[in-house]
Amino acid sequence: DGGITQSPKYLFRKEGQNVTLSCEQNLNHDAMYWYRQDPGQGLRLIYYSQIVNDFQKGDIAEGYSVSREKKESFPLTVTSAQKNPTAFYLCASSIGIGEQFFGPGTRLTVL
Amino acid sequence: GEDVEQSLFLSVREGDSSVINCTYTDSSSTYLYWYKQEPGAGLQLLTYIFSNMDMKQDQRLTVLLNKKDKHLSLRIADTQTGDSAIYFCAESPRTGGFKTIFGAGTRLFVKA
C-alpha cells in the first residue's frame, strides 16, 4: 500500500537535546512538508521541499532543520534552539500543487 | 498577506445538517480544500473545489464558493456522530508555489 509514515508516534525529549523525527513516503511525490500543530492554531508550515536536494523555510523555521537527500525521506530535526518544541508534528507530501497526503503525526513532549 | 479564517467550534444534533464556514484572502487561489482530522491523527482530504466553480456536491457533502466575498462553506447533510472531528479549510495561492495555507480548524461536536 502506498502511503506516508512518521515515526515515532510519541517522543519525549529532555531540554537541551536535539531530536529527529522521521517521515517516509512511497507515493513517488516530489514535494514534502513539515507542519507544527498547536491547539487552536491550526497548521503552521516549518519547512517544505519541492524536489530532492532542495528545501525552503516555512513560516516558523527557527530552531528546526531538515534534509532531503532522497525523494522518499524528509527528516526533521528539532534543535535545542527551539524554545517551545512541545507540539504535534505532521509530515505531508504532494505531487505538486494540490492535495497533500498526511502522515499520522508525531507528538513531541519536552520534559 | 495570505490568511484563512474559520470559527473554532460548531455543535449540532445527530441527523441535522452542519455548515462550516471559512473566509480566505488570496483571490488568486486555484484550489480550495476541506480536510478532516480525527483525534490524534493526520489530516485527510474530504473534498476540494476549483476556483472557477460555485458549487460541488459529493454524497452528503456540499461545498459552496462565493469568490466575490472570498467565502467557502462545507455543508454536511444528516450529520452522524462519526463526523465529529476538526475540519480545516485551506487554499493554494497561485503565487505560493506548492504551499497550502490552512485555517485554524473548526471542531465539530455531534450530539446523539
Side-chain angles (χ1 to χ4, degrees), chain A residues 20-98:
Chain A
T20 298
L21 281 60
S22 167
C23 178
E24 304 277 331
Q25 54 99 0
N26 61 3
L27 300 166
N28 201 32
H29 286 172
D30 284 317
M32 296 187 74
Y33 313 80
W34 275 105
Y35 295 93
R36 171 181 170 139
Q37 186 177 20
D38 296 283
Q41 292 198 43
L43 273 65
R44 291 185 289 169
L45 183 64
I46 305 172
Y47 269 97
Y48 66 103
S49 167
Q50 295 185 175
I51 199 164
V52 175
N53 292 321
D54 184 55
F55 50 83
Q56 309 293 331
K57 290 182 179 180
D59 302 315
I60 56 163
E62 186 175 347
Y64 300 97
S65 66
V66 293
S67 62
R68 186 83 188 278
E69 296 175 2
K70 297 188 298 182
K71 189 175 188 178
E72 304 80 21
S73 179
F74 191 41
L76 172 75
T77 297
V78 184
T79 75
S80 56
Q82 170 47 239
K83 296 304 177 194
N84 185 21
T86 294
F88 189 51
Y89 290 87
L90 286 162
C91 180
S93 69
S94 69
I95 293 173
I97 193 170

Side-chain angles (χ1 to χ4, degrees), chain A residues 9 31 33 35 37 40-43 45 48 50 59 88 90 94-100 102-104 107, chain B residues 8 30-31 33 35 37 40-45 86 88 92-94 96-100 102-105:
Chain A
K9 189 167 177 63
Y33 313 80
Y35 295 93
Q37 186 177 20
Q41 292 198 43
L43 273 65
L45 183 64
Y48 66 103
Q50 295 185 175
D59 302 315
F88 189 51
L90 286 162
S94 69
I95 293 173
I97 193 170
E99 179 184 2
Q100 292 188 12
F102 283 81
R107 187 166 297 280
Chain B
L8 292 182
T30 327
Y31 295 84
Y33 312 88
Y35 285 84
Q37 184 183 34
L43 279 66
Q44 281 188 298
L45 183 69
I86 302 176
F88 290 90
S92 288
R94 193 184 299 273
F98 291 177
K99 286 174 67 174
T100 297
F102 289 86

Side-chain angles (χ1 to χ4, degrees), chain B residues 13-96:
Chain B
R13 291 189 182 278
E14 192 174 21
D16 288 350
S17 291
S18 308
V19 179
I20 303 172
N21 295 299
C22 165
T23 57
Y24 61 96
T25 55
D26 196 320
S27 57
S28 75
S29 288
T30 327
Y31 295 84
L32 294 135
Y33 312 88
W34 286 104
Y35 285 84
K36 178 182 180 183
Q37 184 183 34
E38 300 198 359
L43 279 66
Q44 281 188 298
L45 183 69
L46 262 185
T47 187
Y48 65 93
I49 189 167
F50 289 109
S51 57
N52 63 356
M53 298 169 65
D54 297 325
M55 186 182 88
K56 181 178 180 182
Q57 189 149 2
D58 184 2
Q59 298 182 331
R60 293 191 297 124
L61 305 178
T62 303
V63 178
L64 295 178
L65 175 59
N66 180 329
K67 285 189 71 175
K68 176 176 170 290
D69 295 337
K70 296 182 189 150
H71 182 267
L72 184 73
S73 68
L74 173 69
R75 178 177 180 269
I76 305 172
D78 187 24
T79 312
Q80 303 297 306
T81 53
D83 294 323
S84 293
I86 302 176
Y87 291 82
F88 290 90
C89 174
E91 62 170 343
S92 288
R94 193 184 299 273
T95 55

